[in-house]
Amino acid sequence: MLTLYDVKLSSRLLLGTARYPSPAVLVDTVRHSKTEIVTVSLRRETAGGKSGGAFFELIKELGVRVLPNTAGCHSVSEAVLTAKMAREVFKTNWIKLELIGHQDTLQPDVFQLVEAARILSDDGFEVFPYTTEDLVVGERLLEAGCKVLMPWCAPIGSAMGPQNIPGLRAMRAEFTEIPLIVDAGIGRPSHATTVMELGFDAVLLNTAVASAQDPILMAGAFAKGIEAGREAYLAGMLEPRDMAVPSTPVIGKGVFA
Ligand SMILES: CC(=O)[C@@H](O)[C@H](O)COP(=O)(O)O
């Protein structure tokens, strides 16, 4: 079981809701994936004069927990305002805090992120910060009140998969008691398996599923990949070795010796 802010969950897959070919495909994908959490962008869905109303109703009807996000925010004030709007719309204190600092990489502005996380935590929000694998920033976010950390593994939408495995491994080693969710940059189920094998608690992804030729099938593939990685982590994997080790017993020796 995964526990996020005292909420117990069976699924370790969190799905984004943008870029699906149609609302019907989104609904079927969420159902097939068995995810229990979807993230929704307030700004994206209300941009360009859109009210977002019909889309937000559709999300509420999915029957899963909603994690609103502040995608597209570049300042503390924008992010705080968006979080407050999200709380009104979805009646939740959960917020995925995204504060973009670099236009090409969509890298988070970790300085503003910590500041916004503190303001929102003090206001009763339960903050899921989209961050980098920087250990010091992680520590500051925990001090600011976050009880979950969500490092990227590659730029949003890049599908590159884990770019800094030693960095992710160090994060797991440093924050042993904190739920760690890889958010952004996953491209394939095998990427999700890899980060779960490192001991991450869950994976949040959007583009790799929504932009697949068959999002429903792909969501199922990700769900299986995440489960496989989790079970392998729990089972305890062999460390790679330089030398060969015969796997068949030598004649005359006991099979179980
Ligand atoms: C949906 C969402 O919140 C994204 O900002 C998130 O970071 C997912 O990234 P990918 O689209 O790379 O999976």
Side-chain angles (χ1 to χ4, degrees), residues 126-141:
E126 295 178 317
V127 179
F128 294 66
Y130 161 64
T131 184
T132 63
E133 63 276 49
D134 188 300
L135 301 181
V136 180
V137 173
E139 194 56 50
R140 296 286 178 275
L141 288 165

Side-chain angles (χ1 to χ4, degrees), residues 47-238:
K50 288 195 282 178
S51 77
F55 185 73
F56 296 153
E57 287 312 310
L58 176 83
I59 296 295
K60 287 180 198 170
E61 284 163 17
L62 286 172
V64 296
R65 192 167 282 272
V66 180
L67 173 60
N69 68 59
T70 63
C73 291
H74 292 78
S75 69
V76 172
S77 57
E78 272 180 316
V80 169
L81 182 64
T82 304
K84 288 182 176 172
M85 284 168 53
R87 180 158 63 181
E88 290 306 308
V89 172
F90 290 108
K91 310 288 180 235
T92 177
N93 285 336
W94 279 16
I95 190 74
K96 173 162 125 68
L97 185 59
E98 275 190 46
L99 256 158
I100 300 303
H102 190 272
Q103 223 24 64
D104 292 333
T105 60
L106 300 181
Q107 182 165 354
D109 178 333
V110 295
F111 304 98
Q112 295 203 84
L113 181 69
V114 172
E115 193 183 335
R118 183 170 297 113
I119 293 169
L120 291 169
S121 299
D122 288 350
D123 192 16
F125 281 91
E126 295 178 317
V127 179
F128 294 66
Y130 161 64
T131 184
T132 63
E133 63 276 49
D134 188 300
L135 301 181
V136 180
V137 173
E139 194 56 50
R140 296 286 178 275
L141 288 165
L142 300 182
E143 286 165 10
C146 299
K147 293 190 166 55
V148 175
L149 296 174
M150 302 182 80
W152 68 350
C153 78
I156 294 172
S158 69
M160 289 195 290
Q163 296 297 293
N164 181 7
I165 287 184
L168 293 176
R169 193 178 277 130
M171 226 179 160
R172 181 67 287 172
E174 180 77 8
F175 303 113
T176 52
E177 304 301 323
I178 302 295
L180 297 179
I181 303 172
V182 166
D183 172 15
I186 295 274
R188 298 164 181 227
S190 58
H191 296 156
T193 306
T194 296
V195 298
M196 294 301 291
E197 285 175 354
L198 294 175
F200 277 72
D201 295 283
V203 171
L204 188 156
L205 57 96
N206 188 163
T207 311
V209 165
S211 299
Q213 281 179 20
D214 185 337
I216 302 166
L217 192 59
M218 187 60 85
F222 268 105
K224 289 177 196 144
I226 288 167
E227 276 302 303
R230 177 69 184 169
E231 288 182 9
Y233 172 70
L234 294 176
M237 288 164 291
L238 289 185

Side-chain angles (χ1 to χ4, degrees), residues 242-253:
D242 289 338
M243 301 296 289
V245 180
S247 53
T248 43
V250 177
I251 292 171
K253 295 255 171 108

